[in-house]
């Protein structure tokens, strides 16, 4: 099937799991209730709200409630209308034409037009961690009238039409951002959008308040009057807030040890969907600028000392889906199931380190490493890695930071030797995976990019070829070869999909009707009596 035919138009869909089927059927048979306040726990607290200069989870979840994208997506990641009502792709894949929704206003009353779209796409190309590759082939955006935007490319981008959600490519108001320092704009934390909810306040360390947009273009939506986004310091406090009724919804917020208990509570649903637009994936990344880690034999020895299947059982309580391949198993289209972990073998690992001249000292230690972890990782994963490496004489010193400090330490200061990251595969490997391994995506200060400082010309060639290949069979083969190449090179140890646990009160309906999961806009969400 040609790119043009595949991308022209799609049916709507709803992302559901077996656990949610009964509740979804009930909500479909009753009209959504109007009113009420949703209390939603998000962890950790984001540094800002709009996912413009960051792909951080908190921004990607909260931002789309205020600032929308051109499109939304069903469970198969087929695009559906949002700020764009229609779209077409030229036969050569070099021009994307969007018809924009008329009558939409920014929350400050200014009209939304194609000028906002053009400004946003070109801005994302410069400042968004994934946007640098997503829109790398964009040469310009034409705006022949206020309701038409035409994205022009130098080369095909078969993933582009899937990259236009509010969580990935937010459309921002040109009249507020133009001529300013985008990274430090106050509107990143106090957004003005077109979405179903209007930003009211952000009290650091406490909450964000959003209120219903009475002028939303998709009336009578949204249904709830307010959203209070709560920030609580630890998993036990978050679990207590849910159980007491002080909170209605939480994602990745409670200790995994509590999941089984919550599954038995009558007033809650435990949803374990790995939302396809996000496609959770975690990994241990080597800093290849660290002298001792330049030796692939050392990296292989470390990989043979970290039993990822055991990590899944001990740290993730068996709720994860491990994957030795850089493209995880959730991506059924491109995942290479034939890639396996190097065998867990402490004897081989110790022998390899001896052979590399890294003998144990009198205290049994060969060398030390600085071990960081993204706060989106379970801290117990860092403990697991530390204990694993101790068995082969490596002293991994855990350094724990809040999210903002972690990002600076890892991507600006590069003050780490190994780091546990949470770089999701996202909706397409060119967008979610390429950033991790593409040598041209190494840039000091760019969050969630090529933290390893990995450079392999063949890997670059495969990634770049896949990014423009419109034949699906050929594209898959390129990604298969890529996965094999990076597995052999060992710039990282892939953990796979960490558990995605959403705890939701049964009074909350239609909180995740799209493939974006909680990264949708909550316009359909309602609170039933």
């Amino acid at each position: 099937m040609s790119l043009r035919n595949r991308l022209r138009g799609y049916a709507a869909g709803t992302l559901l799991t077996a656990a949610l089927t009964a509740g979804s059927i009930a909500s479909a048979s009753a009209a959504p209730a109007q009113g009420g306040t949703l209390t939603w726990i998000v962890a950790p607290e984001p540094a800002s709200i709009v996912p413009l200069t960051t792909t951080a989870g908190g921004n990607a979840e909260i931002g789309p409630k205020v600032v929308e994208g051109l499109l939304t997506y069903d469970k198969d990641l087929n695009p559906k209308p949002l700020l764009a009502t229609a779209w077409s792709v030229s036969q050569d894949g070099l021009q994307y034409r969007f018809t924009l929704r008329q009558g939409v206003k920014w929350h400050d009353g200014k009209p939304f037009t194609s000028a906002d779209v053009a400004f946003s796409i070109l801005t994302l190309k410069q400042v968004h961690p994934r946007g640098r590759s997503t829109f790398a082939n964009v040469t310009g955006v034409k705006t022949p009238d206020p309701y038409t935007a035409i994205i022009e490319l130098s080369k095909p981008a078969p993933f582009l039409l899937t990259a236009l959600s509010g969580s990935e490519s937010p459309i921002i108001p040109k009249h507020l951002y133009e001529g300013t320092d985008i990274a430090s704009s106050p509107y990143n934390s106090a957004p003005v959008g077109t979405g179903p909810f209007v930003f009211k306040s952000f009290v650091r360390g406490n909450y964000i308040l959003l209120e219903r947009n009475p002028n939303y273009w998709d009336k009578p939506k949204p249904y709830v009057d307010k959203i209070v986004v709560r920030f609580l310091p630890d998993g036990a406090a978050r679990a207590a807030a849910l159980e007491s009724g002080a909170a209605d919804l939480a994602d990745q917020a409670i200790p995994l040890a509590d999941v089984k208990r919550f599954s038995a509570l009558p007033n809650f649903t435990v949803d374990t969907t790995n939302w396809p637009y996000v496609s959770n994936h975690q990994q241990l990344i080597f800093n290849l600028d660290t002298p001792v880690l330049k030796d692939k034999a050392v990296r292989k020895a470390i990989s043979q000392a970290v039993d990822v299947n055991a990590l899944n059982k001990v740290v993730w309580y068996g709720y994860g889906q491990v994957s030795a391949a850089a493209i995880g198993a959730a991506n059924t289209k491109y995942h290479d199931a034939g890639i396996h972990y190097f065998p867990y073998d402490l004897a081989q690992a110790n022998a390899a380190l001896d052979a590399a001249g890294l003998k144990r000292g009198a205290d049994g230690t060969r060398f030390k490493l600085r071990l960081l972890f993204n706060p989106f990782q379970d801290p117990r994963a860092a403990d697991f890695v530390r204990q694993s490496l101790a068995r082969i004489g490596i002293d991994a010193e855990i350094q724990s930071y809040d999210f903002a400090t972690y990002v600076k330490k890892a991507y600006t200061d590069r003050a780490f030797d190994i780091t546990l990251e949470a770089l999701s595969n996202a909706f397409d490997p060119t967008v979610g995976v390429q950033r991790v391994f593409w040598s041209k995506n190494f840039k000091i200060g760019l969050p969630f990019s090529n933290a390893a400082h990995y450079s392999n010309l063949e890997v670059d060639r495969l990634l770049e070829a896949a990014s423009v290949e419109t034949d699906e069979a050929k594209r898959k083969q390129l990604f298969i070869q890529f996965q094999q190449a990076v597995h052999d090179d060992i710039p990282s140890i892939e953990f796979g999909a960490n558990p995605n646990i959403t705890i939701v009160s049964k009074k909350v309906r239609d909180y995740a009707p799209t493939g974006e999961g909680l990264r949708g806009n909550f316009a359909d969400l309602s609170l039933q009596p």
Side-chain angles (χ1 to χ4, degrees):
M1 184 180 293
S2 71
L3 172 71
R4 186 182 187 186
N5 289 336
R6 281 191 296 107
L7 300 182
R8 273 201 174 272
Y10 300 87
T14 303
L15 181 63
L16 301 174
T17 63
L20 291 177
T21 300
S24 297
I25 291 173
S27 67
S29 64
Q34 190 79 50
T37 297
L38 173 78
T39 301
W40 174 28
I41 297 174
V42 171
E45 178 181 347
S48 58
I49 296 177
V50 180
L52 179 62
T53 62
T54 178
T55 57
N59 296 71
E61 290 188 348
I62 302 168
K65 283 59 180 173
V66 180
V67 180
E68 297 179 294
L70 288 175
L71 301 171
T72 185
Y73 301 88
D74 69 16
K75 66 178 180 178
D76 296 316
L77 301 187
N78 297 316
K80 298 163 57 181
L82 206 61
L83 287 178
T85 59
W87 52 92
S88 62
V89 183
S90 63
Q91 189 69 48
D92 59 8
L94 299 180
Q95 189 179 89
Y96 287 67
R97 186 183 188 94
F98 296 91
T99 300
L100 305 180
R101 192 175 299 278
Q102 299 188 27
V104 177
K105 292 187 181 298
W106 295 101
H107 295 157
D108 63 3
K110 301 288 186 181
F112 158 73
T113 71
S114 58
D116 297 306
V117 175
F119 178 80
S120 298
I121 297 299
L122 296 177
T123 298
L124 288 159
K125 180 179 178 179
Q126 297 299 319
V127 305
H128 190 273
R130 290 196 287 252
R132 296 178 69 247
S133 56
T134 302
F135 301 111
N137 299 339
V138 173
T139 57
V141 183
K142 290 184 177 179
T143 55
D145 61 64
Y147 302 109
T148 304
I150 304 170
I151 301 177
E152 297 189 323
L153 298 91
S154 58
K155 299 176 183 178
F159 50 86
L160 190 145
L161 202 61
T162 320
L164 300 175
S165 72
S167 64
E168 184 67 20
S169 301
I171 301 302
I172 56 174
K174 178 182 179 181
H175 65 280
L176 296 179
Y177 277 90
E178 188 175 31
T180 69
D181 179 358
I182 301 295
S184 63
S185 171
Y187 297 106
N188 293 340
S189 296
V192 173
T194 58
F197 296 94
V198 178
F199 170 81
K200 287 299 179 180
S201 60
F202 187 171
V203 179
R204 301 284 177 177
N206 197 342
Y207 67 88
I208 290 172
L209 175 62
L210 309 177
E211 292 187 357
R212 181 178 185 274
N213 178 5
N215 301 310
Y216 189 49
W217 54 264
D218 194 11
K219 293 181 179 179
K221 301 175 185 178
Y223 299 114
V224 298
D225 293 331
K226 296 180 182 179
I227 298 175
V228 178
V229 184
R230 294 276 313 276
F231 307 119
L232 296 174
D234 59 65
R238 295 189 287 266
L242 287 161
E243 212 164 353
S244 69
D248 308 304
L249 177 67
D251 177 48
Q252 304 292 72
I254 69 168
L256 290 175
D258 287 342
V259 172
K260 187 175 182 180
R261 180 169 61 84
F262 268 86
S263 299
L265 295 176
N267 296 328
F268 292 95
T269 295
V270 175
D271 184 355
T272 60
T273 304
N274 183 10
W275 309 114
Y277 201 82
V278 182
S279 192
N280 280 1
H281 194 82
Q282 295 189 348
Q283 55 280 112
L284 182 151
I285 295 175
F286 295 103
N287 184 344
L288 300 181
D289 293 329
T290 297
V292 72
L293 297 178
K294 291 180 182 292
D295 186 344
K296 186 170 79 170
V298 174
R299 302 197 300 273
K300 183 176 180 181
I302 291 174
S303 72
Q304 289 194 277
V306 179
D307 185 343
V308 180
N309 287 297
L311 182 147
N312 182 34
K313 293 176 182 177
V314 173
V315 178
W316 292 348
Y317 287 77
Y319 295 116
Q321 185 176 20
V322 300
S323 168
I327 299 175
N331 190 322
T332 56
K333 186 185 292 186
Y334 300 120
H335 171 66
D336 186 351
I339 292 177
H340 303 287
Y341 291 107
F342 296 109
Y344 174 69
D345 193 321
L346 295 180
Q348 280 190 15
N350 276 303
L353 293 176
D354 286 340
L358 300 167
K359 303 293 186 179
R360 292 178 184 264
D363 63 352
T365 300
R366 300 177 189 274
F367 56 89
K368 294 184 178 182
L369 294 176
R370 297 164 295 175
L371 169 58
L372 272 62
F373 65 94
N374 186 321
F376 278 93
Q377 284 262 11
D378 189 323
R380 294 181 308 126
D383 288 329
F384 183 94
V385 170
R386 179 183 61 80
Q387 293 172 20
S388 297
L389 299 192
R391 297 188 184 104
I392 57 172
I394 299 174
D395 181 5
E397 178 190 2
I398 297 175
Q399 299 181 4
S400 177
Y401 301 104
D402 62 79
F403 182 71
T405 304
Y406 166 78
V407 171
K408 181 177 183 296
K409 290 285 186 181
Y411 293 96
T412 300
D413 302 339
R414 294 190 54 73
F416 75 97
D417 299 308
I418 52 177
T419 185
L420 297 176
E421 254 299 2
L423 299 178
S424 69
N425 280 179
F427 45 86
D428 188 276
T430 295
V431 178
V433 182
Q434 177 169 318
R435 59 181 171 149
V436 186
F437 302 98
W438 188 35
S439 70
K440 297 173 186 175
N441 205 40
F442 174 74
K443 182 179 179 181
I444 297 295
L446 182 67
F448 317 123
S449 54
N450 181 350
H453 198 182
Y454 177 58
S455 180
N456 180 311
L457 293 178
E458 176 62 6
V459 167
D460 284 352
R461 184 192 71 80
L462 292 166
L463 288 171
E464 290 167 9
S467 73
V468 298
E469 180 55 66
T470 59
D471 183 293
E472 278 297 336
K474 292 179 180 178
R475 193 167 191 244
K476 178 176 181 177
Q477 187 56 38
L478 289 165
F479 281 132
I480 293 292
Q481 293 176 48
F482 151 74
Q483 290 170 85
Q484 293 168 347
V486 295
H487 178 69
D488 291 343
D489 247 4
I490 326 175
S492 61
I493 302 172
E494 303 302 313
F495 288 173
N498 56 296
N500 194 71
I501 307 294
T502 302
I503 308 296
V504 56
S505 166
K506 288 189 175 177
K507 72 178 182 179
V508 179
R509 306 293 174 88
D510 295 322
Y511 62 92
T514 72
E516 296 137 281
L518 296 189
R519 296 186 178 188
N521 66 10
F522 279 5
D524 294 282
L525 186 149
S526 65
L527 301 174
Q528 298 298 328

